[in-house]
Amino acid sequence: MKNKINWIKIGLLVLMVAGIMSVTGSVLANGGSYEIDWWSVDGGAGTITGGEYELVGVVGQPDAGETASGGDYNLTGGFIPGLSEPTVVFYPEMDVLGKGYSIPDGDSIPSIEDDTDFGSVDVDSGTVVHTFTIENSGDGDLNLAGIPHVQISGTHAVDFTVTSQPSSPVAASGGTTTFEITFDPDAEGVRESNISIANDDSDENPYTFAIQGTGTIPASRTPLADFDGDGDTDLSVFRPSTGKWYIKDQFQVKYGMSGDIPVPGDYDGDRDWDVAVFRPSTGKWYVKDQYQVNYGMSGDIPVPGDYDGDGDWDVAVFRPSTGKWYVKDQFQVNYGMSGDIPSPGDYDGDGDWDVAVFRPSTGRWYVKDQYQVKYGLSGDIPVPGDYDGDGDWDVAVFRPSVGKWYIKDQYQVKYGMSGDIPVPGDYDGDGDWDVAVFRPSTGKWYVKDQFQVNYGMSGDFPLPVRDTNGDGDPYQ
């Protein structure tokens, strides 16, 4: 009997037998009285049966394979047994999130929304920590390749620290891990850096994005009489007889008139002091190139400062007749009495100024909501300031009768003589206040351990100090 098999489907590749035979010669089929004279392979492997034959687990391939047999026939040549499974590859897919928002790979614009902008932080005492999440949405594990996994580079890299590294690998299909970055600014202003995370996500390696934060110095810790914003106290005087201001090595300008009280300060929060006067006769404030405003009356003592800690100085007065403080657009409060010397400052180092008075009759200090302390005696001049550079103001007095300075819990030093005007400030810009005096009789400045220089004359008002009783003279 003659059997013909026209098509045998057992593989992935279509093979025409005529093509095979042209390369390998004839293909023989023996067994009984049948022959295979035309066949092709174009299907998958497995068992195929029909009539008196059976082919088991073979896939077609020219000139290869073992003998396949079944029933009354053998097939040799042109076959290979078994079935090869295709290789399946799983890939990771990396994403980084801040506050739940995706941070795109290569993002160069830090944002508060996704925590890549760390906001404003106090240079002296502040830090802030942000937590970021690495997520793997792919179907393969994500491997973080760098050592350490998260690396920081850029202009201000020293201001940012990875305080907690992520783990690796990150599981497929939604696995996560976290890392923390701490911002501790080294200086004032915008601080910028870049994050890089090496990994095996083929199209996001390394995963990078920019971060930034802003270092700040509260107005309460900026130097007195810093007219150019360079971080140190400038030699400067106001001449009441002409209403003229003299700022050494910077400028001279006429602003004000006889009877005005100089009240320079940082009224716009730009870190340099502004020329300003208070006119007791009308209770009016004049801040050069900014504004004029009525606030106060004759007999009030001007006490400007940064009472809300927002970086700019506030218009304020102390009324000795009632012991009441008036801080414009903020508050009014009774604190003190007639004869007290208003001595506001940042006594707790929190960035805003505190209401405070020195009572010469008892030598006692009263700092609102903080403390009372006896330090000094009648005739002493209050000279509070940050003498140790720790960010809070220290109780201190200058005793004109002996030319001696007393800085509470720190030191006592003789520097100056009777008739000198104490003018403490940060003259070298190192963050702590320096002992200094202005000698009206000669117009000479003496800054301890630094310099002596003539600048000014008798009758001038040295600008690092304030008028403590509203009479137009410093500390009288």
Side-chain angles (χ1 to χ4, degrees):
M1 179 179 179
K2 186 181 223 181
N3 296 318
K4 285 193 176 182
I5 302 174
N6 293 326
W7 298 92
I8 301 175
K9 300 180 178 180
I10 53 175
L12 300 176
L13 183 64
V14 177
L15 302 175
M16 299 302 295
V17 173
I20 297 174
M21 292 180 66
S22 67
V23 177
T24 66
S26 63
V27 178
L28 300 178
N30 298 313
S33 57
Y34 66 86
E35 65 181 11
I36 300 174
D37 57 4
W38 184 261
W39 52 275
S40 66
V41 178
D42 62 359
T47 299
I48 302 174
T49 61
E52 297 179 5
Y53 65 87
E54 182 178 63
L55 302 180
V56 181
V58 297
V59 290
Q61 178 174 327
D63 297 326
E66 302 173 354
T67 298
S69 63
D72 298 323
Y73 63 85
N74 294 322
L75 299 180
T76 51
F79 293 91
I80 184 169
L83 178 64
S84 298
E85 292 289 339
T87 301
V88 179
V89 180
F90 298 98
Y91 296 98
E93 182 59 39
M94 179 173 173
D95 191 16
V96 177
L97 301 93
K99 290 199 300 191
Y101 292 93
S102 176
I103 304 167
D105 178 29
D107 182 24
S108 61
I109 304 176
S111 167
I112 293 291
E113 182 180 64
D114 61 15
D115 257 4
T116 51
D117 187 332
F118 285 67
S120 297
V121 177
D122 190 319
V123 167
D124 293 331
S125 60
T127 61
V128 64
V129 179
H130 284 183
T131 300
F132 298 91
T133 299
I134 297 174
E135 182 178 67
N136 178 18
S137 60
D139 50 17
D141 287 351
L142 173 68
N143 294 288
L144 306 181
I147 301 176
H149 296 324
V150 178
Q151 300 183 20
I152 301 176
S153 62
T155 307
H156 307 119
V158 68
D159 293 344
F160 298 89
T161 305
V162 182
T163 45
S164 176
Q165 288 280 351
S167 59
S168 177
V170 184
S173 304
T176 62
T177 184
T178 62
F179 62 94
E180 293 180 350
I181 296 178
T182 298
F183 175 47
D184 183 6
D186 201 40
E188 188 177 16
V190 176
R191 318 295 287 173
E192 300 174 322
S193 291
N194 297 297
I195 299 299
S196 180
I197 308 171
N199 64 89
D200 61 355
D201 180 341
S202 61
D203 61 353
E204 292 177 311
N205 178 34
Y207 200 109
T208 64
F209 57 91
I211 57 174
Q212 72 176 29
T214 303
T216 61
I217 299 175
S220 59
R221 295 205 290 275
T222 56
L224 297 180
D226 183 8
F227 288 90
D228 56 4
D230 65 351
D232 56 54
T233 298
D234 304 311
L235 301 183
S236 50
V237 298
F238 171 68
R239 192 160 291 163
S241 61
T242 61
K244 196 163 185 178
W245 297 65
Y246 297 83
I247 316 300
K248 190 175 186 300
D249 301 325
Q250 294 183 46
F251 62 86
Q252 301 176 19
V253 64
K254 191 177 188 312
Y255 198 76
M257 63 184 190
S258 181
D260 287 350
I261 297 174
V263 287
D266 185 8
Y267 291 89
D268 55 6
D270 64 354
R271 300 300 178 196
D272 56 58
W273 273 33
D274 309 301
V275 168
V277 296
F278 171 67
R279 192 159 291 163
S281 60
T282 61
K284 194 164 188 176
W285 294 69
Y286 298 83
V287 182
K288 189 176 184 300
D289 300 326
Q290 293 185 46
Y291 59 83
Q292 302 175 18
V293 63
N294 279 92
Y295 200 75
M297 64 183 191
S298 181
D300 286 351
I301 299 173
V303 286
D306 185 9
Y307 291 89
D308 56 4
D310 65 352
D312 56 61
W313 280 35
D314 309 301
V315 166
V317 296
F318 172 69
R319 192 159 291 163
S321 60
T322 61
K324 194 164 188 176
W325 294 68
Y326 298 83
V327 181
K328 189 175 185 301
D329 300 326
Q330 294 186 45
F331 61 85
Q332 302 176 19
V333 65
N334 280 92
Y335 200 76
M337 64 183 192
S338 181
D340 287 351
I341 297 175
S343 304
D346 186 7
Y347 290 88
D348 56 4
D350 65 352
D352 56 58
W353 283 38
D354 307 303
V355 168
V357 297
F358 172 68
R359 191 161 292 163
S361 60
T362 62
R364 195 167 187 96
W365 294 72
Y366 297 83
V367 182
K368 190 176 184 300
D369 300 326
Q370 295 184 45
Y371 59 84
Q372 302 177 21
V373 64
K374 191 178 189 314
Y375 198 76
L377 49 84
S378 181
D380 286 352
I381 297 173
V383 285
D386 186 7
Y387 291 89
D388 55 5
D390 65 352
D392 56 59
W393 283 32
D394 310 302
V395 167
V397 296
F398 172 69
R399 191 160 293 161
S401 59
V402 295
K404 195 165 186 177
W405 295 69
Y406 298 82
I407 316 298
K408 189 176 185 301
D409 300 326
Q410 294 184 44
Y411 60 85
Q412 302 175 19
V413 64
K414 191 175 189 314
Y415 199 75
M417 64 183 191
S418 181
D420 286 352
I421 299 173
V423 286
D426 186 5
Y427 290 88
D428 54 6
D430 65 353
D432 55 60
W433 286 29
D434 309 302
V435 166
V437 296
F438 172 69
R439 192 160 292 163
S441 60
T442 61
K444 194 164 188 173
W445 295 69
Y446 298 82
V447 181
K448 189 175 184 301
D449 300 326
Q450 293 185 44
F451 60 83
Q452 302 175 18
V453 65
N454 281 91
Y455 198 74
M457 64 183 195
S458 181
D460 285 352
F461 191 120
L463 295 174
V465 304
R466 66 175 72 239
D467 179 357
T468 56
N469 66 354
D471 67 351
D473 296 317
Y475 296 132
Q476 294 178 14

